[in-house]
Amino acid sequence: MHAAQHAVSERVLIFCLAAFGLLTPSAGAQAPAAVPVFQMTPGDSTITFHVQASVTIEGTFDQWQASLTFTSPAVESAVLDVQIQAASVNTGSDLKNDTLKGKDFFNVDADPLITFHSTQVVQTGPETFDVPGTFTIRGVSKPETLHLTVSGKGTGTGAITGTMAFDRKDFGMTHNILFLHIADRVEVRVHLG
């Protein structure tokens, strides 16, 4: 890595680690000394989803956790792990929540977790990153990419936002909700800020 690239990676890493409450060191993390592990939890941060339908379906997940582990000072060495409690889905409608938790969609009784484990971090611009990884929902795992943007560097405040889109039918969610036609494309949004 060139010195200039290393300096940029270090600045991005320092921003990510010190983004004013976005990431905090994990107490008792199971990683070698000098390998930073950071935990992210709900609060000012959110994980939401959006699906086009005859009546738009969107909501949040109220229970999730994520960790970011670095094996070197290079931001590209980061590994992102996200675990979402599928039963914590909240659309604002008990009928939609119960339907999404059922066997035709999240199937929370058999597969309570929705997970993402990154396999790589690729810096695509001064403030943007592609994070390919393995996305698992309903016990089905497929490669998907999370696209992240870091904002507010050097301003004293900041945020990390990202999106990932997937085809719900690739994960066995082939049904619609009663009286609603649902698009196949689901967009997931993360906001850490």
Side-chain angles (χ1 to χ4, degrees):
M1 176 182 294
H2 298 301
Q5 288 175 316
H6 182 72
V8 169
S9 294
E10 266 193 279
R11 284 194 301 274
V12 173
L13 172 63
I14 290 167
F15 172 76
C16 288
L17 302 182
F20 298 97
L22 296 180
L23 307 173
T24 55
S26 172
Q30 297 298 315
V35 174
V37 177
F38 297 87
Q39 299 293 330
M40 296 162 272
T41 56
D44 291 335
S45 301
T46 58
I47 297 178
T48 62
F49 66 93
H50 176 88
V51 182
Q52 292 291 338
S54 48
V55 174
T56 299
I57 299 172
E58 56 188 4
T60 64
F61 291 98
D62 295 332
Q63 296 176 8
W64 57 270
Q65 62 183 11
S67 64
L68 190 61
T69 306
F70 291 87
T71 58
S72 81
V75 72
E76 293 84 4
S77 76
V79 176
L80 175 65
D81 279 298
V82 180
Q83 288 191 340
I84 300 168
Q85 297 291 329
S88 74
V89 64
N90 184 356
T91 63
S93 162
D94 289 340
L95 176 62
K96 287 180 190 173
N97 293 346
D98 291 343
T99 301
L100 290 173
K101 292 176 192 179
K103 63 181 175 72
D104 291 336
F105 290 93
F106 297 154
N107 197 20
V108 300
D109 290 336
D111 299 295
L113 294 178
I114 299 169
T115 63
F116 179 81
H117 175 79
S118 70
T119 54
Q120 189 177 14
V121 175
V122 179
Q123 188 163 2
T124 56
E127 298 177 341
T128 58
F129 300 85
D130 281 351
V131 185
T134 302
F135 179 61
T136 303
I137 187 168
R138 295 177 47 93
V140 178
S141 298
K142 301 271 185 191
E144 298 290 348
T145 299
L146 180 61
H147 306 281
L148 296 178
T149 301
V150 177
S151 62
K153 291 193 301 187
T155 65
T157 61
I160 300 172
T161 57
T163 60
M164 179 181 77
F166 66 93
D167 186 322
R168 67 185 178 92
K169 290 184 176 178
D170 289 346
F171 295 88
M173 294 181 278
T174 58
H175 292 83
N176 288 305
I177 294 177
L178 189 61
F179 304 118
L180 294 178
H181 175 73
I182 304 170
D184 295 342
R185 184 178 187 272
V186 178
E187 185 174 292
V188 178
R189 300 174 186 141
V190 298
H191 175 80
L192 308 172

